[in-house]
Amino acid sequence: MEFIHSKASAYIPSGKAYEAALSSTTHLAIVAHQDDTEILAYNGIAQCFGQKDLNFSSVILSNGSGSPRTGIYAEYSDEEMQAIRRDEQNKAASLGDFAVQVQLAYPSSEIKDSQNKNTVAELRAILQVAQPEVLYLHNPADKHDTHVATMLRSIEAVRSLPKEQRPKKVYGCEVWRDLDWMMDDEKVVLPTDQYPHIAQALIAVFDSQVSGGKRYDLATVGRRVANATYFASHEVDACDSMNFAMDLSPLIEDENLSISDYVKATIERFQNDVTSKLDNLS
């Protein structure tokens, strides 16, 4: 497959042909940066790991430039860091038994430009072949601009498909903002307690980030454990580790539904719950 950016690539751990591997996808993550997939979509990775009839694939939209660095990576140029991050992502794809790992290598500025339709066109082409049943995205309340833009381009690409080719479920997951604030009955609970050694190893693969000054290995596992413990105040833990997600499926079932209004209504329900408790107990 030809990509728009020269540094874009597709890595197939099994060695199969690109389209054959991509068309086998049942669970797909479309994310902004290298390591975002392993943080937000581990539920899908674990569900598909070692299964014959389930296959996980990942799409990274950005080129990974501008990452913080220290220690042995302190003097690396941006070009060198991008190459390292690409290699780390492909190692994670092998470790996680991915069907396909696509890296589209867009600068963040192009992803954030809503008038640049190349991102949407490439994502649409990938989705048309993959036609996943489950799609994992960044959540719309994430505080990272490139994450939010990646989610928006992904939703636009899905909405451009015929309805019969769209995923059955679309989840907006946690990276740069937790979803613990959502109403409990609105949270999608994604268990992440399968294969804990794989979960830990997948984050550790990204040494340029972990040793480079960001302890994603500790923070990612810690958040999942905290979610499981603090989810239900009056019940025993249902599992040892979980991610929360926002159900974005209504946004791809109805392309006229405003993403902003959808998220605003979720925030307002949280706001009303907090203020009503305060008023009732004052």
Side-chain angles (χ1 to χ4, degrees), residues 2 8-9 19 51 68 96 98 107 134 140 155 185 201 205 209 231 268 272:
E2 291 188 9
S9 63
E19 289 213 1
Q51 302 299 309
F98 294 7
V134 182
I155 293 290
D185 61 354
V205 162
Q209 303 303 291
F231 177 49
E268 286 175 350
N272 292 338

Side-chain angles (χ1 to χ4, degrees), residues 82-216:
Q82 288 179 49
I84 288 171
R85 296 190 73 180
R86 286 194 298 269
D87 289 343
E88 289 173 338
Q89 187 60 59
N90 288 338
K91 289 175 184 176
S94 290
L95 179 62
D97 195 27
F98 294 7
V100 181
Q101 175 61 70
V102 177
Q103 301 193 59
L104 293 177
Y106 280 89
S108 289
S109 58
E110 291 186 23
I111 300 170
K112 291 184 283 190
D113 181 2
S114 61
Q115 301 307 307
N116 185 337
K117 298 303 180 183
N118 288 337
T119 52
V120 176
E122 286 206 285
L123 291 176
R124 186 183 195 277
I126 290 167
L127 286 160
Q128 274 190 307
V129 177
Q131 294 191 28
E133 296 176 16
V134 182
L135 178 61
Y136 299 87
L137 303 175
H138 293 286
N139 81 78
D142 194 292
K143 68 180 179 181
H144 196 307
D145 286 0
T146 310
H147 288 194
V148 175
T150 297
M151 177 275 304
L152 289 170
R153 308 301 161 249
S154 301
I155 293 290
E156 186 176 351
V158 173
R159 283 175 161 180
S160 73
L161 296 171
K163 289 202 172 180
E164 64 272 12
Q165 293 182 11
R166 299 177 190 179
K168 294 182 178 66
K169 284 292 180 184
V170 181
Y171 299 130
C173 308
E174 300 169 304
V175 180
W176 278 111
R177 186 167 277 141
D178 297 350
L179 292 172
D180 180 67
W181 57 268
M182 290 178 61
M183 301 297 294
D184 282 350
D185 61 354
E186 295 182 16
K187 293 172 187 167
V188 178
V189 174
L190 302 174
T192 53
D193 53 353
Q194 278 188 293
Y195 316 116
H197 57 296
I198 298 292
Q200 189 79 53
L202 282 169
I203 302 299
V205 162
F206 297 93
D207 184 67
S208 69
Q209 303 303 291
V210 175
S211 294
K214 299 296 288 184
R215 292 308 304 267
Y216 293 122

Side-chain angles (χ1 to χ4, degrees), residues 246-260:
M246 188 181 294
D247 186 3
L248 304 184
S249 305
L251 296 172
I252 58 105
E253 292 164 2
D254 179 5
E255 53 266 35
N256 296 313
L257 181 58
S258 163
I259 299 173
S260 179

